[in-house]
Amino acid sequence: MTNALLDQTLAAAKAENRAALIGYLPAGFPTVAGAAQAVQALIDGGADVVEIGLPHSDPVLDGATIQTADDIALRGGVRTKDVLETIRTVTAANPTVPVLCMTYWNPVDRYGQARFAADLAAAGGAGCILPDLPVEEADEWLAAAAEQGLATVFVVAPSSRDERLAVITAKGTGFVYAAAVMGVTGTRAQVGDMAEDLVARTRATTELPVCVGLGVSNAVQAAEVAAFADGVIVGSAFVQRILDASSPEAGYAAVRELTAELAQGVRKR
């Protein structure tokens, strides 16, 4: 089972002959209280889907920028309940925008799989992105997520062989998160040329939309990825705008401005 709102949102972007824009920010950043405003800036700027990260002390997929934001959030005292409360605040204000939780597996396992799924659904969440949960160990989570109407998004990488892609995409719902480059998240001067090949190979195994993340930071790159992917995922560039800002309010404005530019980029196919 997947999430109807997420499916409808991605289908609507496809019907407009464009890629969806998916924006990421961690909960607890720039502050626990200010996180929902930061995510609201993504939505106001034109993001179709948002991911709210659950800050982690050892984020294996994330580069220095998001690690810095996670550290700020953790030092600010963010807890799993605050992540869920941020999701609740955002979904209450934006009932037509799918909100996903991006989290490493350990916090979900500690919280309790069925409990986390139920609480995420109660907060209005559309699903989870789980970059480090092996699909072979995911059955208990997948059952809990399906019961709550949550999508489960898995990550594929350029190193994934075709047979491995088929195994992963058979278990995932919502969309497939294609990591455009080998390595951790972060803005890059150019988006990896492995991304287009990975999208083509992934599409050969599934009907799910394939969305590309890791590296996009401007409208030109967004347009480049939108030419071959169903969605463009951006995170570090938004985090950097907030880190560089003179105040939280200036950070939200900078996020809104960048989102609007990227939203134009995904429409240039």
Side-chain angles (χ1 to χ4, degrees):
M1 185 172 173
T2 185
N3 180 266
L5 178 59
L6 179 60
D7 292 347
Q8 289 160 8
T9 302
L10 294 171
K14 186 176 184 179
E16 294 174 16
N17 192 34
R18 67 175 179 87
L21 176 61
I22 303 172
Y24 165 92
L25 282 169
F29 177 75
T31 62
V32 172
Q37 284 172 270
V39 176
Q40 187 63 49
L42 290 174
I43 295 168
D44 292 345
D48 299 292
V49 179
V50 294
E51 304 172 11
I52 294 177
L54 195 157
H56 197 272
S57 56
D58 185 26
V60 291
L61 186 74
D62 296 306
T65 303
I66 290 174
Q67 284 184 23
T68 298
D70 278 6
D71 189 50
I72 289 167
L74 292 166
R75 283 191 283 117
V78 74
R79 295 286 180 267
T80 300
K81 66 178 173 58
D82 300 310
V83 180
L84 292 165
E85 191 52 44
T86 301
I87 291 169
R88 186 188 312 279
T89 301
V90 172
T91 58
N94 308 276
T96 62
V97 177
V99 178
L100 297 157
C101 180
M102 172 97 166
T103 177
Y104 293 97
W105 181 243
N106 191 38
V108 177
D109 202 32
R110 278 212 313 259
Y111 193 91
Q113 298 182 42
R115 179 180 166 221
F116 189 85
D119 288 359
L120 178 58
C128 258
I129 300 170
L130 298 164
D132 64 340
L133 175 63
V135 292
E136 292 81 2
E137 297 168 24
D139 286 350
E140 185 181 341
W141 165 259
L142 288 167
E147 191 176 324
Q148 300 295 340
L150 298 172
T152 299
V153 176
F154 290 115
V155 178
V156 298
S159 58
S160 305
R161 297 178 181 219
D162 293 354
E163 52 271 28
R164 183 67 187 156
L165 291 176
V167 171
I168 294 170
T169 60
K171 290 287 184 91
T173 56
F175 63 90
V176 183
Y177 187 129
V181 288
M182 297 300 291
V184 295
T185 61
T187 62
R188 287 174 169 79
Q190 60 197 70
V191 178
D193 55 6
M194 293 182 283
E196 191 166 357
D197 173 65
L198 176 59
V199 170
R201 292 194 299 118
T202 304
R203 280 208 179 118
T205 71
T206 183
E207 296 294 310
L208 290 172
V210 183
C211 303
V212 171
L214 308 197
V216 173
S217 60
N218 58 51
V220 172
Q221 291 173 339
E224 186 188 327
V225 174
F228 60 82
D230 299 298
V232 179
I233 303 168
V234 182
S236 298
F238 293 128
V239 171
Q240 194 63 53
R241 291 290 175 105
I242 293 174
L243 290 172
D244 290 345
S246 56
S247 69
E249 285 67 30
Y252 307 148
V255 165
R256 233 181 347 263
E257 181 184 4
L258 177 58
T259 312
E261 290 171 20
L262 293 165
Q264 288 302 308
V266 299
R267 285 163 171 81
K268 290 177 183 162
R269 299 189 78 163

